[in-house]
Amino acid sequence: MLWIAGAFLPSTPRVVCWTAAIAVEYVAARLGFPVPGLGRSRTSKWEIAGEHLAERYQQFFLIALGETILVAGFAFDAGTHDLARTTAFALALATSIVLWRIYVQRAGQILGEAVSKARHPADLGRSAADTHLVMVVGLTAVAIGYELAVEHPLGQPEASWIAMIIGGPALFLLGRARFEYEVFGRVSRSRWIAALVLLAAVPVLTHQPLLVSAALVVVVLTGVALADARRARGRPPEPAAPPL
């Protein structure tokens, strides 16, 4: 009812209505969707198809990643195509490509296998849903950062702008670290080191054009992707080893 009602309301009450709808969805899920006379849903009774669930999560992630590219494209198309804006747009595309690479290597490829191997598949499936939510929220901030960088590539940044450009990738990396733990029972050092590097650079970046921040994000994320490739090179594919 809240979703449908919000669709017919102006912007501000729609946001309120849909925020309430999201809250109801998540609270109800955590409480087991209690229904009078039927009781609560128990994860121990859920029947989870690992490959189907993994495919859905991957689709959610890819849709969000595709939206980041659309936002960057719309922002670039809305103004002049000078060198600074073109560079910012190119950095946005490079960032999206590297984000995709980090996601799929290798946990994103074998989530279905991890769910099938888990002692409690439903618990792992629900945990992975929360993890993907964190990564998608990070991608949302990334998209906002793209728009800001393309529109103001040489401008003096505000603190909130840096929060989007740096905070989005950092949040994605934290979510991806948890995702890696869910699939393999470990976390690569490159994830949290990269996140710390991004956050440590914030005081300097507040005094630099947004292009500098965008370039740093590409460099740091590329370092993570290269570390993943180096770890996998010359070794058999790592099997899933979920801790749940």
Side-chain angles (χ1 to χ4, degrees):
M1 293 175 63
L2 290 170
W3 289 117
I4 295 173
F8 296 97
L9 296 174
S11 296
T12 299
R14 179 185 302 162
V15 169
V16 173
C17 205
W18 283 357
T19 301
I22 292 174
V24 169
E25 295 272 5
Y26 276 90
V27 171
R30 289 301 179 187
L31 295 178
F33 297 104
V35 177
L38 297 178
R40 303 173 185 269
S41 172
R42 304 293 181 185
T43 56
S44 58
K45 297 181 179 180
W46 292 1
E47 295 182 5
I48 299 294
E51 292 299 331
H52 176 78
L53 191 68
E55 180 182 326
R56 291 295 177 265
Y57 289 164
Q58 291 162 4
Q59 289 173 345
F60 292 148
F61 178 83
L62 290 176
I63 289 171
L65 189 62
E67 289 292 331
T68 66
I69 298 174
L70 282 176
V71 169
F74 289 147
F76 182 60
D77 188 57
T80 60
H81 298 165
D82 55 39
L83 179 60
R85 287 172 57 87
T86 301
T87 302
F89 178 64
L91 290 172
L93 293 182
T95 301
S96 291
I97 293 170
V98 179
L99 288 171
W100 168 81
R101 176 64 180 174
I102 293 172
Y103 175 81
V104 300
Q105 179 64 32
R106 160 168 161 79
Q109 296 176 330
I110 61 170
L111 175 59
E113 176 187 335
V115 173
S116 300
K117 285 186 174 181
R119 296 189 301 273
H120 306 288
D123 290 338
L124 178 57
R126 188 165 69 175
S127 177
D130 295 339
T131 298
H132 278 75
L133 176 63
V134 172
M135 289 190 285
V136 168
V137 171
L139 291 181
T140 302
V142 165
I144 297 171
Y146 287 173
E147 184 174 12
L148 292 169
V150 171
E151 292 181 348
H152 312 281
L154 301 179
Q156 184 65 28
E158 299 179 10
S160 58
W161 297 4
I162 298 297
M164 294 295 104
I165 295 177
I166 299 299
L171 185 59
F172 165 80
L173 287 171
L174 293 177
R176 183 57 178 76
R178 172 174 163 160
F179 186 36
E180 187 174 28
Y181 178 76
E182 291 166 340
V183 174
F184 296 116
R186 59 155 179 81
V187 176
S188 301
R189 288 181 297 176
S190 61
R191 310 275 185 253
W192 57 265
I193 290 176
L196 289 176
V197 168
L198 289 173
L199 295 177
V202 169
V204 176
L205 295 176
T206 54
H207 303 288
Q208 302 295 325
L210 289 183
L211 272 182
V212 176
S213 299
L216 177 65
V217 168
V218 173
V219 171
V220 171
L221 292 179
T222 299
V224 175
L226 291 176
D228 290 345
R230 180 180 179 183
R231 184 175 59 250
R233 185 176 59 188
R235 300 179 182 178
E238 184 177 4
L244 298 179

